[in-house]
Amino acid sequence: MAELAHNSWGKTDVRLSKLRRGADEDDFIDITARVSLEGDVSFAHTAGDNAGVVPTDTMKNTIYGLAQDHLTDDLEGFASVLAGHFLEKDWIDSAEVELSARLWQRVTPTGFIGGGSELRTAGVTRSRHGTEIRAGIEGLVVLKTTGSGFAGFPHDEFTILPEADDRILATSITATWRYAQLPEDTTSAWQTARRTLVERFFGDRSESVQHQGWMMGVALLDAVPEIDQVTFRLPNQHHLPFDLARFGMDDAGIVFQPVSEPYGDIAFTITR
Amino acid sequence: MAELAHNSWGKTDVRLSKLRRGADEDDFIDITARVSLEGDVSFAHTAGDNAGVVPTDTMKNTIYGLAQDHLTDDLEGFASVLAGHFLEKDWIDSAEVELSARLWQRVTPTGFIGGGSELRTAGVTRSRHGTEIRAGIEGLVVLKTTGSGFAGFPHDEFTILPEADDRILATSITATWRYAQLPEDTTSAWQTARRTLVERFFGDRSESVQHQGWMMGVALLDAVPEIDQVTFRLPNQHHLPFDLARFGMDDAGIVFQPVSEPYGDIAFTITR
Amino acid sequence: MAELAHNSWGKTDVRLSKLRRGADEDDFIDITARVSLEGDVSFAHTAGDNAGVVPTDTMKNTIYGLAQDHLTDDLEGFASVLAGHFLEKDWIDSAEVELSARLWQRVTPTGFIGGGSELRTAGVTRSRHGTEIRAGIEGLVVLKTTGSGFAGFPHDEFTILPEADDRILATSITATWRYAQLPEDTTSAWQTARRTLVERFFGDRSESVQHQGWMMGVALLDAVPEIDQVTFRLPNQHHLPFDLARFGMDDAGIVFQPVSEPYGDIAFTITR
Amino acid sequence: MAELAHNSWGKTDVRLSKLRRGADEDDFIDITARVSLEGDVSFAHTAGDNAGVVPTDTMKNTIYGLAQDHLTDDLEGFASVLAGHFLEKDWIDSAEVELSARLWQRVTPTGFIGGGSELRTAGVTRSRHGTEIRAGIEGLVVLKTTGSGFAGFPHDEFTILPEADDRILATSITATWRYAQLPEDTTSAWQTARRTLVERFFGDRSESVQHQGWMMGVALLDAVPEIDQVTFRLPNQHHLPFDLARFGMDDAGIVFQPVSEPYGDIAFTITR
């Protein structure tokens, strides 16, 4: 006997941009959206009956259709509108919407420079039981040349890493926080959150990625009172000292080899 | 007050290959590994005390070190050895190891052709409370030119997708199953699982990706009795009919535009 | 004074698939196309006059439009038709078409497995002065566990690479050849070329990537008499021995670390 | 008879960063390097004799070794030193070095934000016959919401693109220029070049990508007198109007679908 224990279906990587002409300058919003629904569509699986299967093409169209009136800098608001729309169908139990916005830096009233890896993210999950609203940041690449060490760790037969009192620390910050209460201005809350993360990454000496991240997270909870939980993922973008002594040189310890793989992968959640 | 609700740390994208010289032919195993640990290292976060923080560099070294004696085609076995090794440290609560093996096709006793997207995966999570063993397949790209439709779905103002009695169906299969009991020969079990997925994808007519996946999953549970649960992720690799009538041509319906984004994203879990 | 020394414009990454229903089985062709035109459109640059600028959107449409009648396994033939079509416009001096076909492996009369990195390529450049026809292979990933060395190289202060009598050799073959005369059956010629490359890679012991490639190229010129020139690019996919002696282990020399970057990059052209 | 018509060998994707401690602040340089050599190593190909084959591993080591003393913001200078080093071997005919630097934005004296796609590039080719020095920019993503049209183009049976008086124009600028004479301060020259490209992209209305690029190129030749030639590659990052009228909506023309593939691909070279 087989049983359908869980199912979801949705549309991923929906790219959408919206241009708002202003008197003095244009706004340009540029997002990637993902919608995912859950509901009682077990007959679709077991019997090929699609009566409840909202096509993922319809989901895509809905995102474009509702964007015209509803997409603003308040990403959380647009995600809520979308999730609410899908939940109107009574056989849908839960709708999850994830948005990520590329950040374009304004150069002129109608001109922008892009290309950065940093994304502002927002997520809303609405079900019959309630609504969860999340926001976050992804791909915020930071590096500091001092103010970070890693020492005092346990040793075993496979440990050859030297202790380091001072090293290059680099990561690509992904942080996702949950709003216990929605801030009045989600964009301003996001900017406060971002500023806090940046200030603490560069401002606090740390003894590990974990230590650095903890201080960032505590400061984030302090800075934005509506947040009740934040999850970090902080890959360690290693810059390995390149040993020049092998070539008979005096090694000044200033030449490094950045490596993409493998990488240290640190994840944690901080709550109030 | 802030509290550390969850934490893990590990090493990701550890690439390793192992060559075993044989009398008649060489074996070549080629994996990417991820290790992730959980444990009481809250002092590392809150106080910068690394006494319990096994360095991710040590994790990497351990994978290479233990591979010499323990890595075989039984990926699940190697993952278990690795997880068990990390759990020997008494402050570690849980160790998770994920392995994925590239599949090299033998051409000569010492020669192989690679480059395929398909991966055999294995995962083991060991904690003080028990062990979970998983296996799976990733990136198995399949396409059929007939035997798949999608019709009878709900319509609303954003629905323009035509009903299709017969369409191209393509996906990149990711399936991960859990072993209630470890098969005697994990490689043979994996091959049975793969063969079953392929046979059912091509053998069964389906009314949706969900329908196709359900039939594959039921057959998988039938074919490998040690499996008690399987999770699928089946992205719909759309091949959109390209409208040639716009150019005044007779459109024979045989020219398509494959698109990468956006894509339909179907996920579900089947249990016994 | 500024002068327009060279210009081209085109459409890249046009993905197209074509399905041909057969009595016994279906054919599925899956290509990515690039078209690039040259011609006297200097007024477009200097004066914003687009009278000669065939839109790249039109190029895309043309590829789809002509595919219905003209795309077959003879990629070189379809590329020629396309290039000829664009050259009909008398202000176009030269049209270049590059096609690459994903290789789907037939499993059933209507079912295929894909996902491989290997591509069959074809290129045609037609101008007022003549036509050049090329074919090739890309992403053919091969690895052998023996039959390759690298020794006797020059040493200087930065040389620490040990000499190797026997090592793993892996590469992703890109080869592009020029037809002095078009083979009657381009698909059969391509298959002969591929088989020759594979046989010689695995069949001949080599002292370097260069040496291996030379033998492959000479054999290719032998096997397909219509080819008068072939260019190879053979990145060295390094598998670095991982030193286990550091951990106090007996190192059996069977555990390797494959690395993606940096990589050795060998390129050369062989003519008759 | 087969003949070796051309050959080169080198190392690609060498990642290197250099940290220079200063009294007031640290500098951080972060490059990716490629070295490629040509020379008479035909015996390596035809006879497996590696006497002249500088190992690509040695090339990599040389880049790290010489970086300690020679790598500064003057990328062109470091590329020249590297190329000159390899040319000291008398059987090497030509050495080409390409560098690309990621741009880290300073936040504190020892802290930086990265993650941008933009690269500063430099290239030097030195041979027995002379030296060519190039510089450039890659991945500079720019978008303007007005000030760009595309109309008056030729029509044929495959043309359906509507004429546009005003459209979103976005591209990722790649420009590579040649120095007839080396500027005294290559970093300052590069900054002037970048500023000129940005100012002209946003400042000039254009009738096509070609037109926009021409104006940028002419301005670049004006702004940096040492440049005698510049080559652009300007992929058109299309933002397609998404038709909302299909849903019975009033379409305000403000919602777009950005697409990655296919894309228009415009390339040209401007000389004095």
Side-chain angles (χ1 to χ4, degrees):
Chain A
M1 240 348 262
E3 194 182 330
L4 186 66
H6 177 266
N7 86 88
S8 71
W9 75 108
K11 202 77 165 186
T12 295
D13 283 354
V14 180
R15 295 184 57 198
L16 180 156
S17 56
K18 181 175 177 183
L19 169 59
R20 292 181 300 175
R21 302 278 184 203
D24 297 325
E25 58 182 35
D26 286 354
D27 278 346
F28 188 72
I29 306 180
D30 187 18
I31 63 167
T32 300
R34 187 175 75 82
V35 166
S36 184
L37 304 182
E38 299 181 26
D40 183 9
V41 296
S42 58
F43 282 151
H45 289 263
T46 60
D49 172 352
N50 296 320
V53 183
V54 177
T56 67
D57 187 68
T58 300
M59 297 183 199
K60 178 198 72 176
N61 293 339
T62 305
I63 298 168
Y64 286 98
L66 296 185
Q68 179 166 278
D69 286 344
H70 298 286
L71 176 57
T72 68
D73 283 337
D74 175 22
L75 295 184
E76 292 82 351
F78 182 53
S80 286
V81 167
L82 278 171
H85 172 91
F86 291 112
L87 213 58
E88 282 169 15
K89 290 162 175 46
D90 56 18
W91 69 92
I92 301 295
D93 295 331
S94 153
E96 182 168 291
V97 176
E98 304 276 355
L99 305 178
S100 60
R102 265 177 291 275
L103 305 177
W104 291 86
Q105 171 199 346
R106 179 182 298 283
V107 182
T108 71
T110 58
F112 302 87
I113 289 186
S117 58
E118 186 181 340
L119 301 172
R120 174 181 168 189
T121 60
V124 169
T125 307
R126 291 180 76 160
S127 75
R128 303 291 161 207
H129 310 297
T131 296
E132 180 181 287
I133 302 186
R134 299 171 299 276
I137 197 164
E138 223 184 286
L140 171 54
V141 175
V142 288
L143 179 148
K144 58 182 183 181
T145 57
T146 189
S148 167
F150 186 56
F153 44 77
H155 283 247
D156 66 16
E157 68 271 35
F158 294 118
T159 306
I160 55 174
L161 185 75
E163 311 229 323
D165 180 56
D166 195 37
R167 57 168 186 174
I168 293 175
L169 181 65
T171 188
S172 172
I173 299 173
T174 296
T176 309
W177 51 87
R178 191 176 66 188
Y179 285 123
Q181 190 178 336
L182 194 64
E184 225 168 296
D185 181 337
T186 57
T187 299
S188 155
W190 186 86
Q191 285 162 342
T192 300
R194 182 193 192 276
R195 191 175 51 244
T196 303
L197 295 176
V198 169
E199 281 176 6
R200 296 278 51 83
F201 180 83
F202 293 118
D204 293 329
R205 170 172 172 97
S206 67
E207 305 308 327
S208 66
V209 174
Q210 285 90 335
H211 189 212
Q212 191 79 62
W214 169 264
M215 292 184 288
M216 292 159 69
V218 170
L220 184 70
L221 293 178
D222 276 355
V224 186
E226 292 91 346
I227 299 175
D228 73 344
Q229 178 178 302
V230 55
T231 296
F232 284 90
R233 188 161 177 217
L234 299 175
N236 198 338
Q237 299 192 334
H238 305 290
H239 289 70
L240 307 181
F242 193 92
D243 173 16
L244 298 176
R246 286 179 290 178
F247 311 137
M249 295 175 63
D250 282 337
D251 189 337
I254 62 174
V255 174
F256 299 85
Q257 180 173 23
V259 294
S260 303
E261 58 182 24
Y263 64 92
D265 200 9
I266 285 82
F268 52 94
T269 297
I270 303 177
T271 59
R272 283 188 196 277
Chain B
M1 238 348 262
E3 194 181 330
L4 186 66
H6 177 266
N7 86 89
S8 70
W9 75 107
K11 202 77 165 187
T12 295
D13 282 354
V14 180
R15 296 184 56 197
L16 181 157
S17 57
K18 181 175 177 183
L19 169 59
R20 292 181 300 175
R21 303 279 185 202
D24 296 326
E25 58 182 34
D26 286 354
D27 277 348
F28 187 73
I29 305 179
D30 186 18
I31 63 168
T32 299
R34 188 176 75 82
V35 167
S36 183
L37 304 182
E38 299 181 25
D40 183 9
V41 296
S42 58
F43 283 151
H45 288 264
T46 60
D49 172 352
N50 296 319
V53 184
V54 178
T56 66
D57 187 68
T58 300
M59 297 182 200
K60 178 199 73 176
N61 293 339
T62 305
I63 297 168
Y64 287 98
L66 296 185
Q68 179 165 277
D69 285 345
H70 298 285
L71 175 57
T72 69
D73 283 337
D74 175 21
L75 294 183
E76 292 82 351
F78 182 53
S80 286
V81 167
L82 278 171
H85 172 91
F86 291 111
L87 213 58
E88 283 169 13
K89 290 162 175 47
D90 55 18
W91 67 91
I92 302 295
D93 295 331
S94 153
E96 183 168 290
V97 177
E98 303 277 354
L99 305 178
S100 60
R102 265 178 290 276
L103 305 178
W104 291 86
Q105 171 198 347
R106 180 183 298 283
V107 182
T108 71
T110 58
F112 303 87
I113 290 186
S117 59
E118 185 182 339
L119 301 172
R120 173 182 167 187
T121 60
V124 170
T125 307
R126 291 180 75 159
S127 75
R128 304 290 161 208
H129 311 295
T131 296
E132 181 181 286
I133 302 186
R134 300 172 298 277
I137 197 163
E138 223 184 286
L140 171 54
V141 175
V142 288
L143 178 148
K144 58 182 183 182
T145 57
T146 190
S148 168
F150 186 56
F153 43 77
H155 284 246
D156 66 16
E157 68 270 37
F158 295 118
T159 306
I160 55 175
L161 185 75
E163 312 231 322
D165 180 56
D166 195 36
R167 57 168 185 173
I168 292 176
L169 181 65
T171 189
S172 173
I173 299 173
T174 296
T176 309
W177 51 88
R178 191 175 66 187
Y179 286 123
Q181 189 178 337
L182 194 64
E184 224 167 296
D185 181 338
T186 57
T187 298
S188 157
W190 186 85
Q191 286 162 342
T192 300
R194 181 193 192 276
R195 192 176 51 244
T196 303
L197 295 175
V198 168
E199 281 176 5
R200 296 277 51 84
F201 180 83
F202 292 118
D204 293 329
R205 170 171 171 99
S206 67
E207 305 307 327
S208 66
V209 174
Q210 286 90 335
H211 189 212
Q212 191 80 62
W214 169 264
M215 292 184 287
M216 292 159 69
V218 170
L220 184 69
L221 293 177
D222 275 355
V224 185
E226 293 91 346
I227 299 175
D228 73 345
Q229 179 178 300
V230 56
T231 295
F232 283 90
R233 187 160 179 217
L234 299 175
N236 198 339
Q237 300 192 334
H238 304 290
H239 290 71
L240 307 181
F242 192 93
D243 173 17
L244 298 176
R246 286 179 290 178
F247 312 137
M249 295 175 63
D250 281 336
D251 189 339
I254 62 174
V255 173
F256 299 85
Q257 180 173 23
V259 295
S260 303
E261 58 183 23
Y263 64 93
D265 200 10
I266 284 81
F268 52 93
T269 298
I270 304 177
T271 59
R272 283 189 194 277
Chain C
M1 243 342 265
E3 194 181 332
L4 186 66
H6 177 267
N7 85 88
S8 71
W9 75 108
K11 202 77 165 186
T12 294
D13 282 353
V14 180
R15 295 184 58 197
L16 180 156
S17 57
K18 181 175 176 182
L19 168 59
R20 292 181 301 174
R21 302 279 184 203
D24 297 326
E25 58 182 35
D26 287 355
D27 278 346
F28 188 72
I29 305 179
D30 187 16
I31 64 168
T32 300
R34 188 177 73 82
V35 167
S36 183
L37 303 183
E38 298 181 25
D40 183 9
V41 297
S42 58
F43 283 151
H45 288 264
T46 60
D49 173 351
N50 296 321
V53 183
V54 178
T56 67
D57 187 68
T58 301
M59 296 183 200
K60 178 198 71 175
N61 293 338
T62 305
I63 297 168
Y64 287 98
L66 296 185
Q68 179 166 278
D69 286 344
H70 297 286
L71 176 57
T72 69
D73 284 337
D74 174 23
L75 294 183
E76 292 82 350
F78 182 53
S80 286
V81 166
L82 278 170
H85 172 90
F86 291 112
L87 213 58
E88 281 168 15
K89 291 162 173 48
D90 55 19
W91 68 91
I92 301 295
D93 295 331
S94 154
E96 183 167 290
V97 176
E98 305 276 355
L99 306 178
S100 60
R102 264 177 291 275
L103 304 177
W104 290 87
Q105 172 199 345
R106 179 183 298 284
V107 182
T108 72
T110 60
F112 303 87
I113 290 186
S117 59
E118 186 182 339
L119 301 171
R120 173 181 167 188
T121 61
V124 169
T125 307
R126 290 181 76 160
S127 75
R128 303 290 161 208
H129 311 296
T131 296
E132 181 180 287
I133 302 185
R134 298 172 298 278
I137 198 164
E138 224 184 284
L140 172 54
V141 175
V142 288
L143 178 148
K144 58 183 183 181
T145 57
T146 190
S148 168
F150 186 55
F153 45 75
H155 284 246
D156 67 17
E157 68 271 36
F158 294 117
T159 306
I160 55 174
L161 185 75
E163 311 230 325
D165 180 57
D166 196 36
R167 57 169 186 174
I168 291 176
L169 182 65
T171 189
S172 172
I173 299 173
T174 295
T176 310
W177 50 88
R178 192 175 65 189
Y179 285 123
Q181 190 178 336
L182 194 63
E184 224 168 295
D185 181 337
T186 57
T187 299
S188 156
W190 186 85
Q191 285 162 342
T192 300
R194 182 192 191 277
R195 192 175 51 243
T196 303
L197 295 175
V198 169
E199 282 177 5
R200 297 277 50 84
F201 180 83
F202 293 117
D204 293 328
R205 169 170 174 101
S206 67
E207 306 306 328
S208 66
V209 173
Q210 286 90 337
H211 189 212
Q212 191 80 62
W214 169 264
M215 292 183 287
M216 291 159 69
V218 170
L220 184 69
L221 293 177
D222 276 355
V224 186
E226 292 90 346
I227 299 175
D228 73 345
Q229 179 177 301
V230 55
T231 295
F232 283 90
R233 187 160 178 217
L234 299 175
N236 198 338
Q237 299 191 335
H238 304 291
H239 289 70
L240 307 181
F242 193 92
D243 174 16
L244 298 176
R246 285 178 291 179
F247 311 137
M249 296 175 64
D250 282 335
D251 189 338
I254 61 174
V255 174
F256 299 85
Q257 180 173 22
V259 294
S260 302
E261 58 184 21
Y263 64 93
D265 200 9
I266 284 81
F268 52 93
T269 298
I270 303 178
T271 59
R272 283 189 195 276
Chain D
M1 239 346 264
E3 194 182 331
L4 187 66
H6 176 267
N7 86 88
S8 71
W9 76 108
K11 202 78 166 186
T12 294
D13 282 354
V14 180
R15 296 185 57 198
L16 181 156
S17 57
K18 182 175 176 183
L19 169 58
R20 292 181 301 175
R21 302 278 184 203
D24 297 326
E25 58 182 33
D26 287 353
D27 279 347
F28 188 72
I29 306 179
D30 187 17
I31 63 168
T32 300
R34 188 177 74 83
V35 167
S36 183
L37 304 183
E38 299 181 24
D40 183 8
V41 297
S42 58
F43 282 151
H45 289 263
T46 60
D49 173 352
N50 295 321
V53 183
V54 178
T56 67
D57 187 68
T58 300
M59 296 182 200
K60 179 199 71 177
N61 293 339
T62 304
I63 296 168
Y64 287 98
L66 296 184
Q68 179 165 278
D69 286 344
H70 298 286
L71 176 57
T72 69
D73 284 337
D74 175 22
L75 295 184
E76 292 82 351
F78 182 53
S80 286
V81 166
L82 278 172
H85 172 90
F86 291 112
L87 213 58
E88 281 169 14
K89 290 164 175 47
D90 56 17
W91 68 90
I92 301 296
D93 294 332
S94 154
E96 184 168 288
V97 176
E98 304 277 353
L99 305 178
S100 60
R102 264 177 293 274
L103 304 178
W104 291 86
Q105 172 199 345
R106 178 183 297 284
V107 181
T108 72
T110 59
F112 303 87
I113 290 186
S117 59
E118 185 182 339
L119 301 172
R120 172 181 168 189
T121 60
V124 169
T125 307
R126 292 180 75 160
S127 74
R128 303 293 160 203
H129 310 296
T131 296
E132 181 180 286
I133 302 185
R134 300 172 297 279
I137 198 164
E138 223 183 286
L140 171 55
V141 175
V142 288
L143 178 148
K144 58 183 183 181
T145 56
T146 189
S148 168
F150 186 55
F153 44 76
H155 284 246
D156 66 16
E157 68 271 36
F158 295 117
T159 306
I160 55 175
L161 185 76
E163 311 231 324
D165 180 56
D166 195 36
R167 58 169 185 173
I168 292 176
L169 181 64
T171 188
S172 173
I173 298 173
T174 296
T176 310
W177 50 87
R178 191 175 66 187
Y179 286 124
Q181 190 179 336
L182 194 63
E184 225 168 295
D185 181 337
T186 56
T187 299
S188 156
W190 186 84
Q191 286 162 342
T192 301
R194 182 192 191 277
R195 193 175 51 244
T196 303
L197 295 176
V198 169
E199 282 177 6
R200 296 275 53 84
F201 180 83
F202 292 118
D204 293 328
R205 169 170 173 99
S206 67
E207 305 307 327
S208 66
V209 174
Q210 286 89 336
H211 189 212
Q212 191 79 62
W214 169 263
M215 291 184 287
M216 291 160 70
V218 170
L220 184 70
L221 294 177
D222 276 355
V224 186
E226 293 90 345
I227 298 175
D228 73 344
Q229 178 177 300
V230 55
T231 295
F232 283 90
R233 187 160 178 218
L234 299 175
N236 198 338
Q237 299 191 336
H238 305 288
H239 290 70
L240 307 181
F242 193 92
D243 174 17
L244 298 176
R246 285 178 290 179
F247 312 137
M249 296 176 61
D250 282 336
D251 190 338
I254 61 174
V255 173
F256 299 85
Q257 180 173 23
V259 294
S260 302
E261 58 184 22
Y263 64 93
D265 200 10
I266 284 82
F268 52 93
T269 298
I270 304 177
T271 58
R272 284 188 194 277

